[in-house]
Amino acid sequence: MGGQGFAPESAWARGAAWALYGLALCYKYTKDDKYLQGSKKVAHFFLANLPEDLVPYWDFRLTTQEGAPRDSSAAAIASSGLLLLEELLPAEEGRLYGTSARRILKSMAERYAIWDASDEAILPHGTGHWPANKNIDVGLIYGDYYFVEALAKLRGQTELFW
């Protein structure tokens, strides 16, 4: 089963983002190194597969990206997870993750975010469930949540919102 990804052997972008963030969070609370190592591996995969504007297509292993929708929510979740990795690691090692998060957030803020009342969402271009043809190229509440969470982290917010 491919779940919400393109195929069983594919790499669903938001699934990778959830893994990156979730494993970092598990490490934060347990200090079990396997979670930290897992999060870092997923982070490297995620970053290595981003397109030029740093907002992924909904699946990293599509047969073609032409006409494929992006998933801004995956970028937002991953950004917040990358900032968490930066916080959890020694400064020199964490810098890679923090710098990457800032670059993704800047791209989203400049190219994707809607900063006026013309839309209900801050981040359009999310992909909820491509295989079921549901919520394609729309704002997704969890995309907005993680985007705002990441921006709050950049402004010094240290407590998690949940």
Side-chain angles (χ1 to χ4, degrees), residues 42-118:
V42 176
H44 288 269
F45 174 84
F46 192 95
L47 294 170
N49 285 282
L50 288 176
E52 189 174 316
D53 74 355
L54 307 177
V55 175
Y57 293 92
W58 70 277
D59 194 296
F60 288 120
R61 293 194 178 139
L62 297 171
T63 54
T64 180
Q65 294 175 338
E66 188 175 329
R70 301 299 183 110
D71 191 354
S72 59
S73 72
I77 295 162
S79 294
S80 197
L82 290 164
L83 290 172
L84 180 56
L85 277 175
E86 178 184 40
E87 171 192 321
L88 296 170
L89 291 164
E92 187 153 329
E93 185 180 0
R95 190 171 302 119
L96 163 74
Y97 303 104
T99 299
S100 297
R102 286 168 180 81
R103 289 179 59 229
I104 294 167
L105 289 165
K106 183 175 189 219
S107 179
M108 287 192 298
E110 291 176 354
R111 298 177 178 151
Y112 287 82
I114 297 172
W115 298 107
D116 58 33
S118 64

Side-chain angles (χ1 to χ4, degrees), residues 1-3 5-12 59 61:
M1 302 268 313
F6 175 69
E9 66 281 353
S10 70
W12 177 42
D59 194 296
R61 293 194 178 139

Side-chain angles (χ1 to χ4, degrees), residues 24 26 32 35 38 65 68 76 80 91 116 123 142 146 154 157 160 162:
C26 286
D32 188 331
Y35 297 122
Q65 294 175 338
S80 197
D116 58 33
L123 286 181
Y142 41 87
Y146 286 97
L154 291 180
Q157 176 76 28
L160 293 175
W162 44 274

Side-chain angles (χ1 to χ4, degrees), residues 1-46:
M1 302 268 313
Q4 289 187 26
F6 175 69
E9 66 281 353
S10 70
W12 177 42
R14 194 169 67 252
W18 288 133
L20 186 167
Y21 189 100
L23 290 167
L25 199 58
C26 286
Y27 174 75
K28 177 181 173 79
Y29 290 114
T30 68
K31 300 301 184 221
D32 188 331
D33 193 59
K34 69 183 174 194
Y35 297 122
L36 179 61
Q37 298 311 315
S39 181
K40 288 168 47 176
K41 284 181 186 179
V42 176
H44 288 269
F45 174 84
F46 192 95

